Amino acid sequence: MPTSVDYSGYFQQMLGGVSITVQMLLWSFVISLAIGTVFGILRTGASGVVQIPLTIYISIMTGVPSLLILFIIYYGGSGVLTALLGYDRSFDVSPFSSGVAAIAMVNAAYVCDLVHGAIRNLPKGQFEACTVLGLPRFHAWRLILLPQVFRLALPGLVNIWIIILKETSLVSLVGLSDLVTVAKTAGGATSEPFVFLIVASFFYIAMSTLTVPLANRLERRLNRGQTPVGA
Amino acid sequence: MRDISTPQTIDVSLRDVVKHYGPFQALKGVSLEVAKGETIVICGPSGSGKSTLIRCINQLETHDSGDIVVRGITVDGTPANTRDVRIEVGMVFQQFNLFPHITVLQNCTLALRLLNKGTKRLNEEKAMYYLERVRIAEQAHKYPAQLSGGQQQRVAIARALCMEPPVMLFDEPTSALDPEMINEVLQVMEDLARGGMTMICVTHEMGFARRVADRCVFMADGEIHEIAPAEAFFDAPESPRLRGFLDRILPSTAHS
Ligand SMILES: Nc1ncnc2c1ncn2[C@@H]1O[C@H](COP(=O)(O)OP(=O)(O)OP(=O)(O)O)[C@@H](O)[C@H]1O
Ligand SMILES: [Mg+2]
């Protein structure tokens, strides 16, 4: 029978797992948001040269299980990098970076769809006003169009944030000590799997719940100026 | 309005402008010359190509053939000329198209700021000057949705004026407004016209046309059917289509 001292050591380890899970969440979300936004903007353009590879990319990323993408990157990634960047060096793809890459690439496809849909829902007049004022295109997107796009896409983006939070647990299958891995190991070692797995579950629930007030704050910020007349 | 004592320079010239949307011909060879300081009113039935015509001038639509020259710049679709023309031409839309998430003042200073026109203070002073000219300076720190339609449209006019364009295009600027707000916008436009701005206005406000327009243009089916000074346009229309159009939109006592 393990003593409570042993338990506290395991909970310490779980804090380390939490840290890895949170880092994966932040990196994956930021990268998928950035890539997905750029792709979403490109998707609204007319040029077929961009549309075809984008369509292929999106059907792969939304059609293939994330786990498979992770395995492909983790087990195949170093070979591909070596082939691309030269045989004189060897490239190791760490579990962390392949996890971030896989989750970001998959969710970038979903962000792309969301952003693309939101752009199409913006009034055409917003684009025309930017055009006739002669606003440089990059700044028009940055200051005028994207803030409105993100306002429209916010509920969907919050969903993606929570999906990514849960998907980070996939990296336990390539040997990274995220929260799920640590909980499983601790549970096995102490023959008390239930305790540790429940604690881990509570962490995910707490993180999702924490998202709500954060999203509300962001929503208030993005909704600036949306007050109807007289309000 | 035009000052007839000065020699006439042409600010906007269109020659045989043709525009298709797919197989549909929206402009069938339109020609029009607008002198510096002149106010032109364009009217005509829905779908006649009025919006298409003025949107070709600042290349919101690209024309298929014909020549468009704005203050010496040939509008030929090259990026540099398109950019130059848009600096010369301001535009006001039916739906105002203010940016909803920034204040009235920021709407007005944004383009100045991004095009590096001056210091923050100078830009704000300029914006406040034009907001005062459209009589809405006291609302500068509100968001567009907090204003009435008429106020929003006046802000949109001020926003365009901040770039100090010599030519202004108006596409049915009062059509989305409640009746009691129409006059405040027309009054601002009239002040502009009397101040010497070159203006091309698509509008069905015939009182404004009579009072302010130097010439009126009647379009139907992608063609200009009649161009005449305001008085002749209303009192002695030549083409039967214009006569029919005026009969339909004017109160029956307005002309005989
Ligand atoms: N983007 C477009 N694609 C296809 N057809 C168009 C497009 N824009 C306009 N049209 C067509 O071209 C014709 C002229 O349109 P335009 O908007 O210039 O008319 P208008 O005189 O401004 O009419 P309204 O008084 O209703 O504003 C119409 O028949 C319209 O259906
Ligand atoms: Mg129109």
Side-chain angles (χ1 to χ4, degrees), chain A residues 124-126 128-136 139 143-144 147-148 224-229, chain B residues 55 58 60 86 89 91 93 97-102 110-111 113-115 143 145-147 159:
Chain A
K124 210 169 120 239
Q126 292 293 310
E128 292 183 349
C130 292
T131 305
V132 301
L133 284 170
L135 304 185
H139 294 294
L143 296 169
I144 301 302
Q148 300 184 65
R224 254 185 324 196
Q226 294 298 318
T227 39
V229 180
Chain B
R55 289 161 61 89
N58 63 356
L60 277 181
R86 286 180 182 151
V89 178
M91 186 166 193
F93 302 89
N97 297 342
L98 293 175
F99 305 131
H101 60 299
I102 55 179
L110 184 75
R113 195 184 117 205
L114 293 182
L115 300 169
Y143 289 99
Q146 295 171 296
L147 308 184
R159 178 176 73 176

mmCIF file of all heavy atoms in Angstrom, chain A residues 124-126 128-136 139 143-144 147-148 224-229, chain B residues 55 58 60 86 89 91 93 97-102 110-111 113-115 143 145-147 159:
data_model
loop_
_atom_site.group_PDB
_atom_site.id
_atom_site.type_symbol
_atom_site.label_atom_id
_atom_site.label_comp_id
_atom_site.label_asym_id
_atom_site.label_seq_id
_atom_site.Cartn_x
_atom_site.Cartn_y
_atom_site.Cartn_z
ATOM 1 N N LYS A 124 -20.701 43.094 -48.281
ATOM 2 C CA LYS A 124 -19.809 43.436 -49.389
ATOM 3 C C LYS A 124 -19.340 44.884 -49.273
ATOM 4 O O LYS A 124 -18.227 45.230 -49.666
ATOM 5 C CB LYS A 124 -20.578 43.235 -50.705
ATOM 6 C CG LYS A 124 -19.739 42.842 -51.876
ATOM 7 C CD LYS A 124 -20.637 42.400 -53.046
ATOM 8 C CE LYS A 124 -20.435 43.260 -54.261
ATOM 9 N NZ LYS A 124 -21.632 43.962 -54.745
ATOM 10 N N GLY A 125 -20.216 45.729 -48.717
ATOM 11 C CA GLY A 125 -19.890 47.144 -48.595
ATOM 12 C C GLY A 125 -18.648 47.408 -47.765
ATOM 13 O O GLY A 125 -17.964 48.406 -47.966
ATOM 14 N N GLN A 126 -18.345 46.526 -46.813
ATOM 15 C CA GLN A 126 -17.138 46.715 -45.998
ATOM 16 C C GLN A 126 -15.887 46.613 -46.865
ATOM 17 O O GLN A 126 -14.936 47.377 -46.702
ATOM 18 C CB GLN A 126 -17.092 45.682 -44.869
ATOM 19 C CG GLN A 126 -18.169 45.890 -43.816
ATOM 20 C CD GLN A 126 -17.955 47.166 -43.019
ATOM 21 O OE1 GLN A 126 -16.865 47.414 -42.512
ATOM 22 N NE2 GLN A 126 -18.981 47.986 -42.941
ATOM 23 N N GLU A 128 -15.841 47.122 -50.134
ATOM 24 C CA GLU A 128 -15.854 48.230 -51.094
ATOM 25 C C GLU A 128 -15.411 49.531 -50.436
ATOM 26 O O GLU A 128 -14.694 50.325 -51.044
ATOM 27 C CB GLU A 128 -17.255 48.372 -51.703
ATOM 28 C CG GLU A 128 -17.596 47.196 -52.597
ATOM 29 C CD GLU A 128 -18.949 47.324 -53.283
ATOM 30 O OE1 GLU A 128 -19.723 48.230 -52.913
ATOM 31 O OE2 GLU A 128 -19.215 46.510 -54.173
ATOM 32 N N ALA A 129 -15.826 49.728 -49.165
ATOM 33 C CA ALA A 129 -15.406 50.948 -48.481
ATOM 34 C C ALA A 129 -13.877 50.968 -48.333
ATOM 35 O O ALA A 129 -13.239 52.000 -48.531
ATOM 36 C CB ALA A 129 -16.079 51.047 -47.120
ATOM 37 N N CYS A 130 -13.286 49.826 -47.998
ATOM 38 C CA CYS A 130 -11.818 49.752 -47.899
ATOM 39 C C CYS A 130 -11.182 50.072 -49.249
ATOM 40 O O CYS A 130 -10.184 50.796 -49.329
ATOM 41 C CB CYS A 130 -11.370 48.349 -47.458
ATOM 42 S SG CYS A 130 -11.817 47.957 -45.761
ATOM 43 N N THR A 131 -11.774 49.527 -50.306
ATOM 44 C CA THR A 131 -11.219 49.731 -51.636
ATOM 45 C C THR A 131 -11.258 51.195 -52.041
ATOM 46 O O THR A 131 -10.245 51.753 -52.474
ATOM 47 C CB THR A 131 -12.006 48.902 -52.670
ATOM 48 O OG1 THR A 131 -12.005 47.546 -52.248
ATOM 49 C CG2 THR A 131 -11.392 49.018 -54.037
ATOM 50 N N VAL A 132 -12.431 51.836 -51.887
ATOM 51 C CA VAL A 132 -12.521 53.204 -52.395
ATOM 52 C C VAL A 132 -11.723 54.177 -51.533
ATOM 53 O O VAL A 132 -11.314 55.231 -52.017
ATOM 54 C CB VAL A 132 -13.978 53.698 -52.538
ATOM 55 C CG1 VAL A 132 -14.757 52.806 -53.473
ATOM 56 C CG2 VAL A 132 -14.673 53.796 -51.202
ATOM 57 N N LEU A 133 -11.485 53.815 -50.270
ATOM 58 C CA LEU A 133 -10.646 54.689 -49.440
ATOM 59 C C LEU A 133 -9.169 54.482 -49.752
ATOM 60 O O LEU A 133 -8.313 55.203 -49.246
ATOM 61 C CB LEU A 133 -10.895 54.419 -47.957
ATOM 62 C CG LEU A 133 -12.189 54.997 -47.375
ATOM 63 C CD1 LEU A 133 -12.429 54.464 -45.978
ATOM 64 C CD2 LEU A 133 -12.149 56.517 -47.370
ATOM 65 N N GLY A 134 -8.868 53.475 -50.561
ATOM 66 C CA GLY A 134 -7.480 53.220 -50.918
ATOM 67 C C GLY A 134 -6.660 52.614 -49.794
ATOM 68 O O GLY A 134 -5.438 52.749 -49.761
ATOM 69 N N LEU A 135 -7.315 51.942 -48.842
ATOM 70 C CA LEU A 135 -6.564 51.335 -47.737
ATOM 71 C C LEU A 135 -5.667 50.232 -48.276
ATOM 72 O O LEU A 135 -6.116 49.383 -49.040
ATOM 73 C CB LEU A 135 -7.524 50.739 -46.698
ATOM 74 C CG LEU A 135 -8.568 51.666 -46.087
ATOM 75 C CD1 LEU A 135 -9.340 50.940 -44.998
ATOM 76 C CD2 LEU A 135 -7.915 52.920 -45.541
ATOM 77 N N PRO A 136 -4.398 50.213 -47.874
ATOM 78 C CA PRO A 136 -3.525 49.117 -48.288
ATOM 79 C C PRO A 136 -4.135 47.795 -47.834
ATOM 80 O O PRO A 136 -4.663 47.694 -46.728
ATOM 81 C CB PRO A 136 -2.217 49.400 -47.545
ATOM 82 C CG PRO A 136 -2.275 50.863 -47.216
ATOM 83 C CD PRO A 136 -3.716 51.194 -47.028
ATOM 84 N N HIS A 139 -3.422 46.167 -44.363
ATOM 85 C CA HIS A 139 -3.982 46.908 -43.235
ATOM 86 C C HIS A 139 -5.503 46.842 -43.212
ATOM 87 O O HIS A 139 -6.115 46.842 -42.142
ATOM 88 C CB HIS A 139 -3.517 48.361 -43.279
ATOM 89 C CG HIS A 139 -2.046 48.513 -43.064
ATOM 90 N ND1 HIS A 139 -1.445 48.201 -41.876
ATOM 91 C CD2 HIS A 139 -1.059 48.894 -43.899
ATOM 92 C CE1 HIS A 139 -0.147 48.417 -41.985
ATOM 93 N NE2 HIS A 139 0.122 48.826 -43.197
ATOM 94 N N LEU A 143 -7.056 45.670 -39.777
ATOM 95 C CA LEU A 143 -7.768 46.621 -38.920
ATOM 96 C C LEU A 143 -9.277 46.633 -39.126
ATOM 97 O O LEU A 143 -10.023 46.978 -38.218
ATOM 98 C CB LEU A 143 -7.220 48.034 -39.169
ATOM 99 C CG LEU A 143 -5.755 48.238 -38.788
ATOM 100 C CD1 LEU A 143 -5.255 49.566 -39.307
ATOM 101 C CD2 LEU A 143 -5.608 48.162 -37.276
ATOM 102 N N ILE A 144 -9.722 46.291 -40.316
ATOM 103 C CA ILE A 144 -11.158 46.439 -40.608
ATOM 104 C C ILE A 144 -11.846 45.093 -40.773
ATOM 105 O O ILE A 144 -12.866 44.817 -40.139
ATOM 106 C CB ILE A 144 -11.355 47.272 -41.897
ATOM 107 C CG1 ILE A 144 -10.725 48.647 -41.732
ATOM 108 C CG2 ILE A 144 -12.844 47.392 -42.234
ATOM 109 C CD1 ILE A 144 -11.261 49.446 -40.578
ATOM 110 N N PRO A 147 -11.087 41.879 -37.706
ATOM 111 C CA PRO A 147 -11.812 42.020 -36.430
ATOM 112 C C PRO A 147 -13.288 41.661 -36.562
ATOM 113 O O PRO A 147 -13.866 41.063 -35.650
ATOM 114 C CB PRO A 147 -11.639 43.502 -36.086
ATOM 115 C CG PRO A 147 -10.383 43.903 -36.774
ATOM 116 C CD PRO A 147 -10.329 43.095 -38.038
ATOM 117 N N GLN A 148 -13.884 41.995 -37.699
ATOM 118 C CA GLN A 148 -15.290 41.642 -37.898
ATOM 119 C C GLN A 148 -15.446 40.156 -38.194
ATOM 120 O O GLN A 148 -16.424 39.522 -37.792
ATOM 121 C CB GLN A 148 -15.886 42.473 -39.034
ATOM 122 C CG GLN A 148 -15.820 43.970 -38.750
ATOM 123 C CD GLN A 148 -16.489 44.792 -39.840
ATOM 124 O OE1 GLN A 148 -17.685 44.705 -40.032
ATOM 125 N NE2 GLN A 148 -15.711 45.583 -40.562
ATOM 126 N N ARG A 224 -17.498 45.561 -29.734
ATOM 127 C CA ARG A 224 -17.483 47.012 -29.596
ATOM 128 C C ARG A 224 -18.169 47.669 -30.784
ATOM 129 O O ARG A 224 -17.893 47.346 -31.925
ATOM 130 C CB ARG A 224 -16.040 47.514 -29.520
ATOM 131 C CG ARG A 224 -15.654 47.937 -28.127
ATOM 132 C CD ARG A 224 -14.295 48.530 -28.132
ATOM 133 N NE ARG A 224 -13.415 47.848 -29.081
ATOM 134 C CZ ARG A 224 -12.106 47.954 -29.071
ATOM 135 N NH1 ARG A 224 -11.514 48.697 -28.191
ATOM 136 N NH2 ARG A 224 -11.374 47.311 -29.953
ATOM 137 N N GLY A 225 -19.067 48.601 -30.485
ATOM 138 C CA GLY A 225 -19.726 49.321 -31.566
ATOM 139 C C GLY A 225 -20.959 48.619 -32.091
ATOM 140 O O GLY A 225 -21.639 49.146 -32.957
ATOM 141 N N GLN A 226 -21.269 47.429 -31.562
ATOM 142 C CA GLN A 226 -22.421 46.700 -32.088
ATOM 143 C C GLN A 226 -23.709 47.073 -31.366
ATOM 144 O O GLN A 226 -24.759 46.525 -31.654
ATOM 145 C CB GLN A 226 -22.200 45.184 -31.978
ATOM 146 C CG GLN A 226 -21.072 44.687 -32.852
ATOM 147 C CD GLN A 226 -21.334 44.930 -34.322
ATOM 148 O OE1 GLN A 226 -22.426 44.742 -34.814
ATOM 149 N NE2 GLN A 226 -20.308 45.371 -35.043
ATOM 150 N N THR A 227 -23.624 47.993 -30.391
ATOM 151 C CA THR A 227 -24.831 48.374 -29.671
ATOM 152 C C THR A 227 -25.825 49.004 -30.619
ATOM 153 O O THR A 227 -25.478 49.894 -31.387
ATOM 154 C CB THR A 227 -24.510 49.393 -28.567
ATOM 155 O OG1 THR A 227 -23.530 50.287 -29.086
ATOM 156 C CG2 THR A 227 -24.003 48.701 -27.337
ATOM 157 N N PRO A 228 -27.078 48.550 -30.583
ATOM 158 C CA PRO A 228 -28.073 49.154 -31.459
ATOM 159 C C PRO A 228 -28.404 50.571 -31.001
ATOM 160 O O PRO A 228 -28.060 50.961 -29.884
ATOM 161 C CB PRO A 228 -29.286 48.237 -31.296
ATOM 162 C CG PRO A 228 -29.092 47.565 -29.983
ATOM 163 C CD PRO A 228 -27.615 47.485 -29.764
ATOM 164 N N VAL A 229 -29.050 51.337 -31.869
ATOM 165 C CA VAL A 229 -29.401 52.722 -31.558
ATOM 166 C C VAL A 229 -30.201 52.773 -30.270
ATOM 167 O O VAL A 229 -31.122 51.983 -30.070
ATOM 168 C CB VAL A 229 -30.219 53.328 -32.710
ATOM 169 C CG1 VAL A 229 -30.589 54.763 -32.388
ATOM 170 C CG2 VAL A 229 -29.438 53.250 -33.997
ATOM 171 N N ARG B 55 -19.560 53.098 -60.738
ATOM 172 C CA ARG B 55 -18.575 52.170 -60.164
ATOM 173 C C ARG B 55 -17.436 51.874 -61.134
ATOM 174 O O ARG B 55 -16.355 51.437 -60.708
ATOM 175 C CB ARG B 55 -19.265 50.888 -59.717
ATOM 176 C CG ARG B 55 -20.148 51.120 -58.466
ATOM 177 C CD ARG B 55 -21.163 50.017 -58.285
ATOM 178 N NE ARG B 55 -20.515 48.729 -58.092
ATOM 179 C CZ ARG B 55 -20.164 48.254 -56.903
ATOM 180 N NH1 ARG B 55 -20.394 48.958 -55.823
ATOM 181 N NH2 ARG B 55 -19.576 47.095 -56.799
ATOM 182 N N ASN B 58 -14.402 54.594 -60.564
ATOM 183 C CA ASN B 58 -13.316 54.314 -59.611
ATOM 184 C C ASN B 58 -12.933 52.831 -59.585
ATOM 185 O O ASN B 58 -12.322 52.356 -58.640
ATOM 186 C CB ASN B 58 -13.668 54.818 -58.214
ATOM 187 C CG ASN B 58 -14.882 54.114 -57.633
ATOM 188 O OD1 ASN B 58 -15.515 53.307 -58.296
ATOM 189 N ND2 ASN B 58 -15.183 54.416 -56.387
ATOM 190 N N LEU B 60 -14.483 50.061 -59.133
ATOM 191 C CA LEU B 60 -15.103 48.997 -58.342
ATOM 192 C C LEU B 60 -15.603 47.927 -59.306
ATOM 193 O O LEU B 60 -15.757 46.763 -58.942
ATOM 194 C CB LEU B 60 -16.265 49.533 -57.505
ATOM 195 C CG LEU B 60 -15.907 50.184 -56.184
ATOM 196 C CD1 LEU B 60 -17.151 50.656 -55.451
ATOM 197 C CD2 LEU B 60 -15.112 49.233 -55.304
ATOM 198 N N ARG B 86 -8.327 56.356 -57.435
ATOM 199 C CA ARG B 86 -9.088 56.270 -56.180
ATOM 200 C C ARG B 86 -8.697 57.373 -55.203
ATOM 201 O O ARG B 86 -9.474 57.724 -54.315
ATOM 202 C CB ARG B 86 -8.898 54.885 -55.558
ATOM 203 C CG ARG B 86 -9.684 53.828 -56.338
ATOM 204 C CD ARG B 86 -9.546 52.449 -55.770
ATOM 205 N NE ARG B 86 -10.275 51.503 -56.602
ATOM 206 C CZ ARG B 86 -9.944 50.225 -56.747
ATOM 207 N NH1 ARG B 86 -8.907 49.734 -56.103
ATOM 208 N NH2 ARG B 86 -10.657 49.440 -57.521
ATOM 209 N N VAL B 89 -10.928 60.298 -56.311
ATOM 210 C CA VAL B 89 -12.372 60.103 -56.309
ATOM 211 C C VAL B 89 -12.836 59.557 -54.957
ATOM 212 O O VAL B 89 -12.355 58.522 -54.500
ATOM 213 C CB VAL B 89 -12.784 59.105 -57.421
ATOM 214 C CG1 VAL B 89 -14.290 58.869 -57.384
ATOM 215 C CG2 VAL B 89 -12.356 59.634 -58.782
ATOM 216 N N MET B 91 -16.198 58.200 -52.593
ATOM 217 C CA MET B 91 -17.487 57.589 -52.921
ATOM 218 C C MET B 91 -18.342 57.404 -51.681
ATOM 219 O O MET B 91 -17.847 57.056 -50.615
ATOM 220 C CB MET B 91 -17.265 56.241 -53.595
ATOM 221 C CG MET B 91 -18.559 55.615 -54.097
ATOM 222 S SD MET B 91 -18.223 54.258 -55.220
ATOM 223 C CE MET B 91 -19.845 54.010 -55.917
ATOM 224 N N PHE B 93 -21.951 55.463 -50.416
ATOM 225 C CA PHE B 93 -22.818 54.350 -50.818
ATOM 226 C C PHE B 93 -24.217 54.494 -50.215
ATOM 227 O O PHE B 93 -24.412 55.168 -49.205
ATOM 228 C CB PHE B 93 -22.241 53.019 -50.325
ATOM 229 C CG PHE B 93 -20.858 52.714 -50.808
ATOM 230 C CD1 PHE B 93 -19.742 53.146 -50.098
ATOM 231 C CD2 PHE B 93 -20.661 51.970 -51.965
ATOM 232 C CE1 PHE B 93 -18.464 52.850 -50.523
ATOM 233 C CE2 PHE B 93 -19.381 51.669 -52.396
ATOM 234 C CZ PHE B 93 -18.272 52.109 -51.677
ATOM 235 N N ASN B 97 -21.856 51.975 -45.234
ATOM 236 C CA ASN B 97 -20.623 51.189 -45.157
ATOM 237 C C ASN B 97 -19.581 51.775 -44.223
ATOM 238 O O ASN B 97 -18.377 51.733 -44.497
ATOM 239 C CB ASN B 97 -20.001 51.000 -46.546
ATOM 240 C CG ASN B 97 -20.901 50.214 -47.473
ATOM 241 O OD1 ASN B 97 -21.817 49.533 -47.007
ATOM 242 N ND2 ASN B 97 -20.653 50.296 -48.758
ATOM 243 N N LEU B 98 -20.036 52.315 -43.098
ATOM 244 C CA LEU B 98 -19.073 52.718 -42.071
ATOM 245 C C LEU B 98 -18.498 51.467 -41.424
ATOM 246 O O LEU B 98 -19.119 50.406 -41.441
ATOM 247 C CB LEU B 98 -19.763 53.583 -41.020
ATOM 248 C CG LEU B 98 -20.248 54.940 -41.529
ATOM 249 C CD1 LEU B 98 -21.015 55.664 -40.432
ATOM 250 C CD2 LEU B 98 -19.085 55.793 -42.013
ATOM 251 N N PHE B 99 -17.305 51.591 -40.849
ATOM 252 C CA PHE B 99 -16.709 50.461 -40.148
ATOM 253 C C PHE B 99 -17.305 50.411 -38.742
ATOM 254 O O PHE B 99 -17.130 51.352 -37.960
ATOM 255 C CB PHE B 99 -15.193 50.602 -40.117
ATOM 256 C CG PHE B 99 -14.596 50.770 -41.492
ATOM 257 C CD1 PHE B 99 -13.690 51.778 -41.775
ATOM 258 C CD2 PHE B 99 -14.955 49.913 -42.530
ATOM 259 C CE1 PHE B 99 -13.155 51.937 -43.046
ATOM 260 C CE2 PHE B 99 -14.429 50.062 -43.803
ATOM 261 C CZ PHE B 99 -13.527 51.067 -44.054
ATOM 262 N N PRO B 100 -18.017 49.331 -38.405
ATOM 263 C CA PRO B 100 -18.845 49.350 -37.188
ATOM 264 C C PRO B 100 -18.057 49.268 -35.887
ATOM 265 O O PRO B 100 -18.558 49.683 -34.851
ATOM 266 C CB PRO B 100 -19.727 48.101 -37.352
ATOM 267 C CG PRO B 100 -18.943 47.197 -38.238
ATOM 268 C CD PRO B 100 -18.162 48.088 -39.161
ATOM 269 N N HIS B 101 -16.825 48.751 -35.923
ATOM 270 C CA HIS B 101 -16.127 48.453 -34.674
ATOM 271 C C HIS B 101 -15.158 49.547 -34.253
ATOM 272 O O HIS B 101 -14.415 49.378 -33.303
ATOM 273 C CB HIS B 101 -15.371 47.135 -34.822
ATOM 274 C CG HIS B 101 -14.345 47.174 -35.925
ATOM 275 N ND1 HIS B 101 -14.684 47.398 -37.223
ATOM 276 C CD2 HIS B 101 -13.009 47.057 -35.904
ATOM 277 C CE1 HIS B 101 -13.600 47.391 -37.968
ATOM 278 N NE2 HIS B 101 -12.558 47.190 -37.200
ATOM 279 N N ILE B 102 -15.122 50.655 -35.012
ATOM 280 C CA ILE B 102 -14.282 51.776 -34.607
ATOM 281 C C ILE B 102 -15.153 53.041 -34.578
ATOM 282 O O ILE B 102 -16.224 53.078 -35.179
ATOM 283 C CB ILE B 102 -13.062 51.960 -35.534
ATOM 284 C CG1 ILE B 102 -13.500 52.096 -36.986
ATOM 285 C CG2 ILE B 102 -12.087 50.811 -35.392
ATOM 286 C CD1 ILE B 102 -12.353 52.309 -37.956
ATOM 287 N N LEU B 110 -8.740 56.911 -40.362
ATOM 288 C CA LEU B 110 -8.063 55.657 -40.684
ATOM 289 C C LEU B 110 -7.236 55.719 -41.972
ATOM 290 O O LEU B 110 -6.057 55.377 -41.986
ATOM 291 C CB LEU B 110 -9.094 54.519 -40.780
ATOM 292 C CG LEU B 110 -8.462 53.164 -41.026
ATOM 293 C CD1 LEU B 110 -7.815 52.658 -39.754
ATOM 294 C CD2 LEU B 110 -9.494 52.162 -41.517
ATOM 295 N N ALA B 111 -7.893 56.173 -43.045
ATOM 296 C CA ALA B 111 -7.184 56.191 -44.328
ATOM 297 C C ALA B 111 -6.003 57.158 -44.280
ATOM 298 O O ALA B 111 -4.918 56.848 -44.787
ATOM 299 C CB ALA B 111 -8.138 56.553 -45.458
ATOM 300 N N ARG B 113 -4.244 57.922 -41.742
ATOM 301 C CA ARG B 113 -3.212 57.291 -40.930
ATOM 302 C C ARG B 113 -2.460 56.237 -41.742
ATOM 303 O O ARG B 113 -1.229 56.209 -41.773
ATOM 304 C CB ARG B 113 -3.894 56.645 -39.732
ATOM 305 C CG ARG B 113 -2.985 56.246 -38.613
ATOM 306 C CD ARG B 113 -3.805 55.529 -37.553
ATOM 307 N NE ARG B 113 -3.353 54.176 -37.426
ATOM 308 C CZ ARG B 113 -4.115 53.186 -36.979
ATOM 309 N NH1 ARG B 113 -5.362 53.407 -36.636
ATOM 310 N NH2 ARG B 113 -3.616 51.986 -36.883
ATOM 311 N N LEU B 114 -3.205 55.374 -42.437
ATOM 312 C CA LEU B 114 -2.557 54.269 -43.145
ATOM 313 C C LEU B 114 -1.800 54.740 -44.368
ATOM 314 O O LEU B 114 -0.869 54.091 -44.828
ATOM 315 C CB LEU B 114 -3.596 53.226 -43.556
ATOM 316 C CG LEU B 114 -4.242 52.475 -42.395
ATOM 317 C CD1 LEU B 114 -5.220 51.445 -42.911
ATOM 318 C CD2 LEU B 114 -3.179 51.806 -41.534
ATOM 319 N N LEU B 115 -2.225 55.867 -44.942
ATOM 320 C CA LEU B 115 -1.523 56.369 -46.115
ATOM 321 C C LEU B 115 -0.486 57.409 -45.715
ATOM 322 O O LEU B 115 0.012 58.158 -46.552
ATOM 323 C CB LEU B 115 -2.525 56.926 -47.128
ATOM 324 C CG LEU B 115 -3.526 55.865 -47.611
ATOM 325 C CD1 LEU B 115 -4.667 56.485 -48.397
ATOM 326 C CD2 LEU B 115 -2.835 54.790 -48.446
ATOM 327 N N TYR B 143 -19.794 55.184 -31.668
ATOM 328 C CA TYR B 143 -19.690 54.162 -32.705
ATOM 329 C C TYR B 143 -20.834 54.360 -33.707
ATOM 330 O O TYR B 143 -21.907 54.870 -33.329
ATOM 331 C CB TYR B 143 -19.763 52.767 -32.082
ATOM 332 C CG TYR B 143 -18.523 52.411 -31.305
ATOM 333 C CD1 TYR B 143 -18.477 52.541 -29.929
ATOM 334 C CD2 TYR B 143 -17.385 51.976 -31.976
ATOM 335 C CE1 TYR B 143 -17.326 52.238 -29.218
ATOM 336 C CE2 TYR B 143 -16.230 51.662 -31.278
ATOM 337 C CZ TYR B 143 -16.202 51.793 -29.896
ATOM 338 O OH TYR B 143 -15.065 51.501 -29.216
ATOM 339 N N ALA B 145 -23.138 52.540 -34.964
ATOM 340 C CA ALA B 145 -24.469 52.016 -34.661
ATOM 341 C C ALA B 145 -25.226 52.870 -33.647
ATOM 342 O O ALA B 145 -26.428 52.704 -33.477
ATOM 343 C CB ALA B 145 -24.367 50.580 -34.155
ATOM 344 N N GLN B 146 -24.514 53.776 -32.986
ATOM 345 C CA GLN B 146 -25.190 54.643 -32.021
ATOM 346 C C GLN B 146 -25.807 55.867 -32.689
ATOM 347 O O GLN B 146 -26.428 56.679 -32.018
ATOM 348 C CB GLN B 146 -24.208 55.088 -30.932
ATOM 349 C CG GLN B 146 -23.718 53.929 -30.071
ATOM 350 C CD GLN B 146 -22.582 54.345 -29.150
ATOM 351 O OE1 GLN B 146 -21.509 54.716 -29.605
ATOM 352 N NE2 GLN B 146 -22.829 54.288 -27.852
ATOM 353 N N LEU B 147 -25.617 55.995 -34.005
ATOM 354 C CA LEU B 147 -26.142 57.157 -34.718
ATOM 355 C C LEU B 147 -27.345 56.765 -35.570
ATOM 356 O O LEU B 147 -27.519 55.603 -35.929
ATOM 357 C CB LEU B 147 -25.057 57.756 -35.637
ATOM 358 C CG LEU B 147 -23.713 58.083 -35.011
ATOM 359 C CD1 LEU B 147 -22.817 58.740 -36.053
ATOM 360 C CD2 LEU B 147 -23.875 58.989 -33.806
ATOM 361 N N ARG B 159 -16.032 61.037 -44.016
ATOM 362 C CA ARG B 159 -14.921 60.093 -44.159
ATOM 363 C C ARG B 159 -14.316 60.193 -45.556
ATOM 364 O O ARG B 159 -13.088 60.189 -45.717
ATOM 365 C CB ARG B 159 -15.418 58.664 -43.893
ATOM 366 C CG ARG B 159 -14.347 57.613 -44.057
ATOM 367 C CD ARG B 159 -14.842 56.237 -43.686
ATOM 368 N NE ARG B 159 -15.757 55.687 -44.686
ATOM 369 C CZ ARG B 159 -16.268 54.460 -44.626
ATOM 370 N NH1 ARG B 159 -15.965 53.667 -43.627
ATOM 371 N NH2 ARG B 159 -17.092 54.033 -45.552
#
